[in-house]
Amino acid sequence: MQFYPPEYFDDMKNGYTAIKTVPLSSVMGAEILNVDIANITDEQFEQVKDALFRYKMIYFRNQQNMSIDDQESLTLRFGEFGTDAYTQGMEGHPNVQRVLKEASSVVDWVFGDGWHTDSPFLEQPPSISLLQSLEVPPYGGDTWWSDAQIAYELLSDKMKEVIADLKVHMSAAFVLQNVNSGKPKLNDLTLGDMQLTVDQQKMIEGSFHPIVRTHPETGKKSLYCDTSYSMGIEGMTQAESKPLLDFLGWHNTREEFNCRLRWEANMLVIWDNRLCLHKAFNDYDGYRREMIRTIVNGEVPF
Ligand code: SIN
């Protein structure tokens, strides 16, 4: 079986003259070659953006020339900065988050643990996320992504009818429970080496979003639900919604729809939260992992 016809990944057919793409799995993800992010041209940017919507997640190796300012500039080419729901950003760079786990840290949860899209409990969740690796463990600390567009397309027509108009309740209740580990609900929390500044009440109240989302640029539909933040379905009891969400959450991250990245230092990864889910791994105790993250403000999902 092929999820996409081979020509879907053909650079010539896709008009990619200023970049080269190397697919990571047969369903999603691609390495982009021939781009120096610090000096990216307008032509390259347009092709990179098209490749992002095609592959859902793209990555660039050997970006040692890229500064935090360069990451900010690239982020702003996609749209204005999103407000991160978890951290206040770095000193001098309020829109840049440091994702850090020290070698000495032993934690039950790392930032980004569990399949999710970024902050879907917000009214306008971030559309695109950019993650630059400064220091990575020699092994472990991979990130996984899963293609939510193919997941939607491979549902039966009957299931597509059933879920067509449903709204999913996205809330951080479950995630905060794990971060809190039973502690009282404070607005200042730590997650390993990261200081979190969160409005827990608002994050738990969350938002109701269409479970079938339409991408504003491609018009393609994808399945918008996960196993971290999808807490219920508008108008349904928990007994009704749970089995449906259990199925959809599993289906949305089936192994066949995944790609997995083994990080190197000085990589930049960009993913579109409207087209894929992702999860971080907590499997590198004894090694330091430091990333720099920016997000683009998204639309109200429709
Ligand atoms: C995230 O979920 O944004 C972080 C992913 C990672 O650190 O691998």
Side-chain angles (χ1 to χ4, degrees):
M1 173 181 187
Q2 281 280 358
F3 290 105
Y4 292 103
E7 57 270 23
Y8 186 78
F9 299 118
D10 186 320
D11 283 352
M12 290 300 276
K13 288 209 168 69
N14 295 330
Y16 298 163
T17 48
I19 64 170
K20 180 172 162 47
T21 70
V22 182
L24 179 59
S25 80
S26 71
V27 66
M28 72 167 297
E31 180 173 1
I32 309 289
L33 302 180
N34 304 340
V35 177
D36 174 12
I37 297 289
N39 295 296
I40 188 169
T41 64
D42 291 345
E43 186 189 22
Q44 285 178 322
F45 176 73
E46 286 313 312
Q47 293 174 18
V48 161
K49 194 163 135 180
D50 192 272
L52 172 63
F53 299 152
R54 180 174 305 278
Y55 291 103
K56 287 84 181 183
M57 166 281 202
I58 53 176
Y59 67 99
F60 308 78
R61 278 181 224 265
N62 301 323
Q63 298 298 322
Q64 36 272 71
N65 292 336
M66 184 177 58
S67 63
I68 294 182
D69 291 348
D70 292 326
Q71 182 167 341
E72 288 173 323
S73 304
L74 182 67
T75 307
L76 288 169
R77 281 188 177 230
F78 287 103
E80 56 189 40
F81 288 121
T83 308
D84 187 63
Y86 284 97
T87 74
Q88 287 203 317
M90 291 166 58
E91 214 180 312
H93 298 276
N95 295 299
V96 180
Q97 297 95 48
R98 190 189 295 281
V99 177
L100 173 67
K101 183 175 175 291
E102 293 287 2
S104 55
S105 268
V106 178
V107 288
D108 291 337
W109 265 62
V110 285
F111 186 81
D113 229 318
W115 282 110
H116 67 285
T117 56
D118 285 331
S119 303
F121 46 83
L122 296 175
E123 199 189 337
Q124 286 182 247
S127 51
I128 292 168
S129 304
L130 298 88
L131 196 62
Q132 179 191 168
S133 52
L134 300 187
E135 190 174 343
V136 296
Y139 53 85
D142 294 358
T143 308
W144 277 18
W145 285 265
S146 198
D147 185 335
Q149 181 183 312
I150 204 83
Y152 173 75
E153 283 168 16
L154 292 182
L155 287 172
S156 64
D157 289 344
K158 191 50 79 181
M159 181 58 89
K160 285 181 184 156
E161 265 176 48
V162 169
I163 64 172
D165 297 318
L166 298 183
K167 287 199 161 180
V168 58
H169 182 207
M170 296 292 202
S171 155
F174 171 69
V175 170
L176 287 173
Q177 219 172 42
N178 282 291
V179 176
N180 273 322
S181 326
K183 281 185 243 133
K185 288 193 169 55
L186 302 172
N187 280 342
D188 288 316
L189 298 170
T190 49
L191 183 52
D193 303 289
M194 293 174 65
Q195 178 68 42
L196 307 183
T197 308
V198 296
D199 181 344
Q200 294 204 44
Q201 191 55 39
K202 221 161 160 231
M203 289 167 71
I204 290 169
E205 277 166 23
S207 300
F208 288 83
H209 293 310
I211 203 163
V212 180
R213 224 186 141 160
T214 305
H215 195 277
E217 308 238 15
T218 66
K220 300 271 190 200
K221 291 183 173 169
S222 61
L223 191 52
Y224 196 47
C225 69
D226 62 28
T227 46
S228 298
Y229 292 113
S230 302
M231 295 286 112
I233 292 177
E234 191 175 61
M236 283 190 182
T237 63
Q238 275 292 310
E240 290 167 338
S241 64
K242 190 171 181 310
L244 185 54
L245 285 175
D246 283 348
F247 164 71
L248 292 173
W250 165 79
H251 174 79
N252 216 8
T253 55
R254 278 169 54 174
E255 289 89 341
E256 304 91 304
F257 307 156
N258 298 171
C259 69
R260 175 174 178 157
L261 183 71
R262 181 168 187 169
W263 288 92
E264 292 164 12
N266 305 311
M267 274 183 170
L268 175 75
V269 177
I270 311 178
W271 66 88
D272 190 322
N273 290 293
R274 302 162 298 190
L275 299 172
C276 63
L277 302 89
H278 61 284
K279 76 181 238 159
F281 263 26
N282 184 14
D283 62 350
Y284 53 94
D285 285 357
Y287 296 106
R288 190 170 191 275
R289 185 177 187 269
E290 182 181 10
M291 317 295 242
I292 298 285
R293 178 174 174 274
T294 46
I295 49 176
V296 180
N297 196 28
E299 67 284 350
V300 175
F302 59 90

